[in-house]
Amino acid sequence: MSVTATYRAFVLERLQRALPDVRARDMFGGVGLYAGTTFFALIGNDVLYFKVDEHTRGEFEARGMRAFRPFGEGGEVMQYYEVPVDVIEDTDALREWAAVAVSVGRKSKQRKAKRSA
């Protein structure tokens, strides 16, 4: 899973227009994206993926977006889905979609914290 410097810069520039406090961190050959301390997205193979849950997955699937599979088509499906290119290019749409992904990330983080307690 690789990410070109050009795509990484493009996605960060777009996201920083839509959300405050977005930062990137290299991880496992890809890039993890955070809003504050909340992990809400990742970039792998020059594709942006947003975190989804049972309530938000349908919108991605309805648009034909695919789940992130770090080990290929036969591997595990993670709770991240491709973000449509038209959404990435539209600051207002990206702001809305990213805000939902951040909310899903926060809820996931809270559930994990409760399980650890």
Side-chain angles (χ1 to χ4, degrees):
M1 174 171 69
S2 64
V3 177
T4 63
T6 304
Y7 189 76
R8 178 187 175 131
F10 167 72
V11 167
L12 283 173
E13 184 270 329
R14 298 301 306 160
L15 281 170
Q16 288 168 344
R17 288 182 182 195
L19 286 177
D21 200 21
V22 172
R23 63 185 175 85
R25 191 171 128 206
D26 292 339
M27 53 190 324
F28 308 111
V31 177
L33 298 170
Y34 295 80
T37 61
T38 302
F39 185 68
F40 75 99
L42 59 90
I43 304 171
N45 296 322
D46 284 355
V47 176
L48 174 62
Y49 297 87
F50 277 168
K51 184 148 183 75
V52 301
D53 64 12
E54 64 277 2
H55 304 293
T56 62
R57 183 181 305 108
E59 186 161 0
F60 289 83
E61 291 174 339
R63 300 222 19 204
M65 300 295 96
R66 299 173 59 170
F68 177 62
R69 293 176 180 261
F71 304 109
E73 285 303 312
E76 173 188 2
V77 174
M78 295 186 69
Q79 296 301 309
Y80 294 84
Y81 270 71
E82 294 176 304
V83 178
V85 173
D86 64 301
V87 170
I88 297 170
E89 293 176 346
D90 179 335
T91 302
D92 292 332
L94 184 60
R95 184 177 296 112
E96 291 174 23
W97 283 58
V100 171
V102 170
S103 177
V104 170
R106 283 189 183 124
K107 289 176 190 171
S108 176
K109 189 176 178 180
Q110 290 168 350
R111 283 192 298 270
K112 287 178 186 175
K114 284 181 184 178
R115 283 192 299 245
S116 297

